[in-house]
Amino acid sequence: MMFKYLFMNVFAFLVIIKTTESSKGLPLRTTFNVKPGGQTHTHKEEVDGFSCAFEYSCQGGTHEEWKMEIILEPGSNEYTCKVFREGGTSYLFFSDFKLMIDGGHLKDAVALGEDNKALISEVEYDLDKRHNKVSSTDAFKSHLSFLMAGFTKEKEEL
């Protein structure tokens, strides 16, 4: 399955994605500031009948520029939502994070921490397919540089 290949490649964010826009407004790419200070912040994007929201709280010296990308895999109904620090290094210390999908079914996720090392699923982060979210656990070690969720869009009722 295409998701397994994508998630095994932890450096997927380095792959060059086609820059042509589809009729659905995809791929969607935005830049936002991750703000330290210990308060909870959310960056949310909506497109094609679903949304992807990144919620976090962190500490550190100053804000960092991060990216969110929502991509429709060619010839399928499989989407990815990526949140990452371009260059792969963040100097912020996250106390927690969540990536939430609304209007789709979460299939898989991957998270990278310090030095782009994979975080351990079910230890440092949970994949909750029932509630369509990926979230940090108490064992999370405060370093996050990349977070990606794969999902399919919910089918419309007739």
Side-chain angles (χ1 to χ4, degrees):
M1 186 175 199
M2 186 175 291
F3 283 128
K4 293 298 178 190
Y5 175 76
L6 286 173
F7 294 108
M8 291 178 69
N9 182 358
V10 295
F11 296 106
F13 66 97
L14 296 176
V15 175
I16 298 174
I17 306 297
K18 288 184 181 180
T19 58
T20 57
E21 295 292 321
S22 74
S23 61
K24 298 179 180 185
L26 295 169
L28 174 69
R29 295 182 177 91
T30 60
T31 301
F32 64 100
N33 284 324
V34 170
K35 303 169 192 164
Q39 297 174 331
T40 299
H41 297 278
T42 303
H43 179 79
K44 181 178 179 179
E45 294 295 336
E46 297 180 40
V47 66
D48 196 24
F50 63 86
S51 68
C52 180
F54 176 57
E55 183 180 287
Y56 66 91
S57 61
C58 65
Q59 296 287 347
T62 184
H63 71 271
E64 293 180 345
E65 191 173 274
W66 281 55
K67 308 274 185 193
M68 179 180 276
E69 293 183 352
I70 302 173
I71 299 165
L72 171 62
E73 299 302 327
S76 74
N77 71 334
E78 297 174 348
Y79 295 81
T80 56
C81 177
K82 301 177 191 180
V83 176
F84 59 96
R85 169 93 161 127
E86 201 161 47
T89 301
S90 175
Y91 300 100
L92 298 174
F93 295 94
F94 288 81
S95 50
D96 59 74
F97 67 82
K98 288 181 192 169
L99 187 63
M100 300 161 287
I101 305 297
D102 187 27
H105 296 290
L106 183 64
K107 298 296 182 187
D108 213 341
V110 67
L112 303 180
E114 192 171 26
D115 298 324
N116 289 321
K117 292 181 183 169
L119 300 182
I120 303 168
S121 179
E122 298 181 16
V123 174
E124 294 180 272
Y125 69 95
D126 284 325
L127 178 67
D128 183 349
K129 292 182 180 180
R130 183 170 180 232
H131 295 105
N132 294 313
K133 69 179 180 179
V134 180
S135 56
S136 57
T137 66
D138 290 340
F140 172 59
K141 296 180 180 91
S142 301
H143 295 283
L144 183 68
S145 60
F146 177 86
L147 183 58
M148 180 169 64
F151 63 98
T152 55
K153 187 175 174 187
E154 290 180 349
K155 294 185 178 176
E156 294 178 12
E157 297 293 325
L158 295 176

